[in-house]
């Protein structure tokens, strides 16, 4: 008993720390697989001993409320769901009843309340007993109706989520790879709980209803299905669902399993709920779980393999990430041979050493992860020198997580991302200088600063002897570099990699300063904020970059290698001269928003990312949406155009109502 009690204390501490990190701090100190395994072990020990320790996560729900948002108790506790990974267990649980099988979405649970047809209140799940009031934030969710055609009191529950497609688009707009968001769930949790709902509005948060608590005066004929259908008729997004019976549930689970790899909303399983409301409620609840629903977690496909080595991957920030490289295995239909170990703390908890027999799986059937280490030979030597620059490394502990860092401020690895941006398609566009090739050249000392790219001929003999290179490859690269030396100021400004200055902002800067680079780089913050799309933060980043003498010298030497093509004054003429457009939402008549932006600019117009008093038109196919940009445009009296309206404007046929 003593050993079991000690293990229960250990598990309670481990799981509580992991839950705190995940729910309150939006970070991970162990994988979902490991958390579930330890949680199940603790639950089994509690059943064996009949004891539940104070603070045990088996008796807790959700995160503790710590923010400055207003707090509010829930009328009734919001419970977690019991779970299974066995389809047969699902079938047995359902019995001869009919049920609704739906996605278990991976976001943040929110409760919405409507009074007299208007959204009156939104509260997060919080710790299950007390939530945070986020009404202002919910008003700017992309798909939450602010008014509905129902005058009674309505209370419903759902999941606030960020779609993978929106998540990827937001990350694509962040030039610094290391500054990009880690995953949609963490970004959503932070977005929903912002104190400033303007930030929430930019994050493309959606609300997917999964349960109706109260609809005053409505009769749903004792059917959850009728509730879902009614919520859809009120304009709510409802989680995708299928009606099932004991005879069809296995087939329907298979359908969901096939769909998950293409599903655009993060999901970590399924939920099965009795269609018969009265029957489900008659079953009551346990201390933590309601008995009218159960969660189904995917039974991870696990493969055994051998760890070949740990690859230490330095990044632009100096963080050196351990990556496990193992003998290739087939998982969920694809071959995998690598998995991030995330940090030293996880590596130590797995006691991960070269040659160990490990098991691997795909988290949520997508991301390769290490499930367990069967032999646990122990962590080998941690590199004392950076694998790229040879500089000293150090282990830093932040929030109880240990990570390895390179301490050399001039480490080439910290420069690789900068060089990759400079030679990218939208910057100097040097074909043949991939990130891998740059890494080789920087590691060999051929490139130390931007201007060195234009003097690689000094190292011709060494380059042609490199693996994967030859005389022809070198000649092609030299031609590409020569072609890139004739470029535009916009490409140069973007390629410098000043924090936050993307391609659109580079265009706006060049136009505002009439393509005078000297005036641009010597401008103070006050002058810079006059540029459309440049706020105080970006202005300060620009000023800070050029305040450093080292940066000014590097840019000067780069400029000496370039011929900047003159800009024709015709850019200031055209059908849209003097007009400023903002594009939001998805497009249908163009490949993407960049193509639409290019058309606007070719006609003399400007395309920015923020609606201001200087905006001429907002383009959004969902003209009547309640998005923050639509709302701002209406407040300022700025016309909102669909693509059809825009094309009519282009032809001179658009007339505002």
């Amino acid at each position: 008993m003593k050993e079991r009690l000690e293990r229960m204390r250990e598990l309670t501490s481990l799981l509580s720390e992991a839950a705190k990190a995940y729910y309150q701090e939006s970070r991970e100190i162990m994988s979902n697989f490991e958390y579930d395994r330890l949680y199940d072990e603790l639950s089994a020990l509690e059943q064996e001993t009949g004891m539940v320790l104070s603070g045990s996560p088996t008796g807790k729900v959700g995160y503790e409320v710590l923010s400055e948002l207003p707090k509010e108790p829930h009328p009734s506790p919001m419970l977690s769901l019991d779970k299974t990974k066995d389809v047969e267990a699902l079938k047995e649980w359902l019995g001869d009843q009919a049920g609704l099988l739906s996605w278990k979405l991976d976001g943040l649970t929110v409760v919405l309340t409507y009074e007299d047809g208007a959204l009156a209140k939104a509260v997060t799940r919080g710790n299950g007993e007390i939530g945070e009031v986020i009404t202002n934030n919910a008003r700017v969710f992309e798909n939450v109706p602010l008014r509905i055609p129902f005058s009674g009191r309505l209370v419903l529950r759902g999941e606030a989520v960020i779609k993978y497609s929106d998540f990827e688009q937001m990350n694509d707009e962040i030039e610094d790879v290391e500054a990009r968001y880690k995953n949609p769930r963490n970004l959503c949790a932070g977005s929903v709980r912002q104190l400033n709902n303007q930030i929430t509005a930019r994050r493309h948060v959606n609300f997917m209803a999964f349960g109706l608590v109260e609809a005053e005066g409505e009769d749903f004929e004792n059917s959850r299905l009728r509730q879902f259908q009614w919520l859809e008729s009120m304009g709510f997004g409802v989680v995708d669902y299928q009606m099932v019976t004991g005879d069809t549930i296995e087939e329907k689970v298979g359908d969901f399993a096939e769909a998950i790899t293409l599903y655009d909303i993060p999901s970590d399983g399924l939920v099965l709920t009795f269609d018969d409301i009265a029957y489900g409620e008659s079953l009551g609840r346990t201390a933590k779980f309601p008995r009218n629903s159960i969660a189904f977690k995917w039974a991870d496909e696990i493969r055994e393999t051998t760890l070949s080595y740990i690859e230490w991957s330095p990044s632009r920030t100096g963080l050196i990430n351990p990556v496990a490289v193992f003998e290739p295995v087939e998982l969920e239909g694809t071959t995998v041979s690598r998995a991030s170990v995330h940090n030293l703390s996880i590596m130590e908890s797995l006691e991960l050493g070269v040659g160990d027999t490990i098991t691997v799986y795909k988290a949520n059937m997508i991301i390769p992860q290490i499930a367990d280490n069967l032999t646990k030979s122990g962590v080998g030597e941690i590199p004392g020198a950076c694998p790229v620059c040879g500089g000293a490394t150090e282990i830093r502990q932040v929030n109880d997580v240990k990570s390895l860092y390179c301490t050399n401020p001039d480490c080439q690895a910290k420069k690789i991302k900068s060089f990759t941006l400079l030679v990218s398609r939208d910057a100097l566009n040097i074909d043949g200088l991939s990130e891998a090739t740059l890494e080789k050249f920087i590691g060999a000392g051929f490139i130390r600063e931007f201007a060195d790219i234009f003097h690689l001929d000094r190292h011709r003999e060494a380059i042609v002897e490199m693996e994967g290179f030859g005389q022809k490859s070198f000649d092609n690269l030299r031609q590409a570099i020569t072609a890139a030396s004739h470029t535009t100021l916009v490409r140069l400004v973007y390629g410098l990699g000043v924090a936050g200055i993307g391609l659109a902002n580079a265009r706006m800067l060049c136009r505002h300063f009439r393509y005078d680079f000297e005036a641009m780089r010597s401008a103070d913050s006050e002058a810079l904020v006059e540029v459309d799309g440049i706020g105080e933060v970006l202005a300060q980043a620009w000023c800070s970059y050029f305040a450093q003498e080292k940066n000014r010298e590097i840019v000067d030497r780069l400029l000496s290698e370039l011929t900047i093509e003159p800009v024709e004054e015709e850019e200031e003429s055209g059908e849209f001269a003097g007009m400023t457009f903002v594009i939001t939402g998805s497009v249908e008549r163009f490949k993407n928003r960049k193509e639409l932006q290019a058309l606007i600019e070719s006609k003399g117009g400007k395309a920015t990312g923020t609606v201001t008093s200087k905006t001429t038109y907002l383009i959004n196919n969902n003209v009547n949406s309640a998005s923050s940009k639509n709302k701002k445009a209406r407040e300022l009296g700025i016309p909102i155009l669909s693509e059809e309206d825009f094309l009519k404007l282009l032809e001179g046929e658009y007339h505002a109502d």
Side-chain angles (χ1 to χ4, degrees), residues 15 60 63 106 137 167 231 244 259 277 293 355-356 389 402 447-448 517 520 531 538 560 573 639 643 647:
L15 291 168
K60 290 184 176 181
Y63 61 83
D106 193 15
N137 294 343
F167 175 77
L231 286 171
V244 295
I277 298 172
S293 300
D356 278 343
C389 72
K402 290 196 291 187
I447 298 175
R448 298 184 183 277
F517 184 64
M520 193 188 312
V531 182
L538 295 186
S560 70
S573 63
E643 280 179 271
L647 293 172

Side-chain angles (χ1 to χ4, degrees), residues 429-470:
N429 191 25
I430 303 179
D431 189 29
L433 272 185
S434 65
E435 184 168 329
T437 300
L438 281 168
E439 188 171 355
K440 289 180 181 178
F441 289 177
I442 290 171
F446 302 159
I447 298 175
R448 298 184 183 277
E449 61 174 78
F450 291 157
D452 293 338
I453 291 173
F454 297 89
H455 296 287
L456 288 175
D457 54 335
R458 298 170 180 169
H459 310 284
R460 185 193 67 80
E461 291 184 8
I463 291 174
V464 297
E465 294 298 323
M466 283 185 166
E467 183 179 354
F469 264 86

Side-chain angles (χ1 to χ4, degrees), residues 510-541:
C510 290
R511 286 179 174 175
H512 183 86
F513 287 96
R514 297 186 176 278
Y515 296 86
D516 184 341
F517 184 64
E518 288 305 313
M520 193 188 312
R521 74 175 185 172
S522 61
D524 59 20
S525 181
E526 186 177 348
L528 289 163
V529 295
E530 293 296 318
V531 182
D532 283 339
I534 303 295
E536 291 184 7
V537 173
L538 295 186
Q540 187 56 49

